[in-house]
């Protein structure tokens, strides 16, 4: 069974600090990795995606991928109260059929 | 990004009844999916909606309980049948372009309460 594990929260960081969110996955065939932000009572919003090993930066957000270690992380620099949300890690895989699906982690609740 | 419109946004239903949720996506979308998010939990994939054919259901979800239609590329419905309080959840539609990037965008969701 394909699994996506996220570090247990809640995670609390002071305003202006760096928030580090981690995720591991079990399917070595996974090729695409996503971070979604979900505010309470709202639907998930895509904030970052990464396909290649290394770092990908977008504003205050940096996604890091290490396929050998099956590890993906999200760094949020200069954390703001508006970053307070649940962050969901998602990984693609080939399902039992032919459709490609995303498997989601349980989420990490961040409070700034 | 893709525009995903979902309705209703919320509903309160009686036990034993059925509710149909609609999802409309823009033309950039080729793949459509339905998820369930139970209170305090993450997203669980119910099924992949296939255009003009039966949906592909994930383990634990069956067509009799969650019939899905996708009559054309940009529209899909999910019906929650013979509801019980255990069906109280948020139901989410997503859309994307599939391989190779597999990016998915979500609708606003339907918050369902079954009494």
């Amino acid at each position: 069974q394909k699994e996506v594990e996220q570090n247990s929260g809640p995670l609390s960081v002071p305003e202006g600090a760096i928030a580090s969110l981690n995720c591991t996955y079990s399917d070595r065939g996974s090729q695409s990795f996503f971070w979604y932000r979900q505010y309470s009572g709202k639907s998930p919003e895509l904030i970052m995606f990464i396909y290649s090993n290394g770092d990908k930066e977008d504003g205050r957000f940096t996604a890091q991928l290490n396929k050998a270690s099956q590890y993906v992380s999200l760094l949020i620099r200069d954390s703001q109260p508006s970053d307070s949300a649940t962050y969901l890690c998602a990984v693609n895989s080939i399902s039992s059929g032919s459709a490609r699906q995303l498997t989601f982690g349980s989420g990490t609740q961040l409070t700034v | 990004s893709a525009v995903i419109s979902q309705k209703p946004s919320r509903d309160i239903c009686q036990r034993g009844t059925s509710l149909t949720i609609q999802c409309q996506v823009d033309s950039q979308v080729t793949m459509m999916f339905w998820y369930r998010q139970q209170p305090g939990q993450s997203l669980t994939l119910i099924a992949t909606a296939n255009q003009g054919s039966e949906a592909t259901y994930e383990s634990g979800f069956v067509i009799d309980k969650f019939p899905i239609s996708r009559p054309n590329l940009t529209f899909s419905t999910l019906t929650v049948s013979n509801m019980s309080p255990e069906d109280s959840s948020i139901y989410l539609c997503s859309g994307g372009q599939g391989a190779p990037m597999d990016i998915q965008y979500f609708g606003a969701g339907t918050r369902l309460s079954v009494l």
Side-chain angles (χ1 to χ4, degrees):
Chain A
Q1 181 173 347
K2 305 175 181 66
E3 294 183 348
V4 177
E5 301 284 344
Q6 293 186 241
N7 54 331
S8 59
L11 175 66
S12 182
V13 300
E15 185 173 347
I18 296 175
S20 176
L21 306 168
N22 304 313
C23 174
T24 59
Y25 60 94
S26 63
D27 185 1
R28 285 196 171 274
S30 296
Q31 301 169 335
S32 306
F33 308 87
F34 307 90
W35 285 99
Y36 288 83
R37 178 176 62 197
Q38 187 172 27
Y39 292 114
S40 180
K42 301 295 186 182
S43 64
E45 172 193 10
L46 180 67
I47 55 171
M48 289 289 288
F49 56 90
I50 186 167
Y51 308 113
S52 303
N53 278 327
D55 295 358
K56 178 182 178 182
E57 186 174 318
D58 184 1
R60 295 186 297 110
F61 298 99
T62 298
Q64 299 175 316
L65 175 62
N66 184 326
K67 290 185 179 180
S69 300
Q70 296 176 246
Y71 175 91
V72 59
S73 66
L74 178 70
L75 300 178
I76 306 174
R77 292 181 300 280
D78 188 23
S79 296
Q80 301 296 310
S82 59
D83 296 325
S84 298
T86 296
Y87 290 81
L88 300 167
C89 173
V91 176
N92 83 325
S93 60
I94 307 297
S95 72
S96 56
S98 59
R100 299 160 71 95
Q101 62 172 259
L102 297 185
T103 300
F104 284 80
S106 58
T108 298
Q109 184 177 341
L110 172 66
T111 300
V112 180
Chain B
S1 65
V3 177
I4 315 291
S5 301
Q6 187 174 339
K7 61 180 181 182
S9 59
R10 60 177 62 232
D11 209 338
I12 301 173
C13 300
Q14 296 297 317
R15 181 195 299 262
T17 63
S18 298
L19 175 71
T20 295
I21 303 167
Q22 298 181 7
C23 182
Q24 180 78 46
V25 302
D26 66 24
S27 59
Q28 298 179 58
V29 169
T30 56
M31 303 291 291
M32 295 183 72
F33 303 89
W34 288 97
Y35 291 84
R36 181 174 72 183
Q37 187 173 31
Q38 295 181 303
Q41 303 296 313
S42 188
L43 280 67
T44 301
L45 180 65
I46 297 172
T48 302
N50 299 311
Q51 183 187 357
S53 65
E54 187 173 299
T56 303
Y57 289 85
E58 297 302 309
S59 177
F61 298 96
V62 295
I63 188 171
D64 289 346
K65 177 67 176 177
F66 298 102
I68 291 170
S69 75
R70 188 179 175 190
N72 57 55
L73 193 61
T74 61
F75 184 78
S76 178
T77 65
L78 166 73
T79 298
V80 186
S81 302
N82 188 26
M83 288 184 285
S84 67
E86 291 71 35
D87 294 319
S88 297
S89 190
I90 298 173
Y91 293 86
L92 293 154
C93 169
S94 76
Q97 293 183 320
M101 302 170 81
D102 291 328
I103 295 175
Q104 290 183 28
Y105 298 97
F106 286 86
T110 297
R111 186 179 297 271
L112 172 62
S113 297
V114 183
L115 304 179

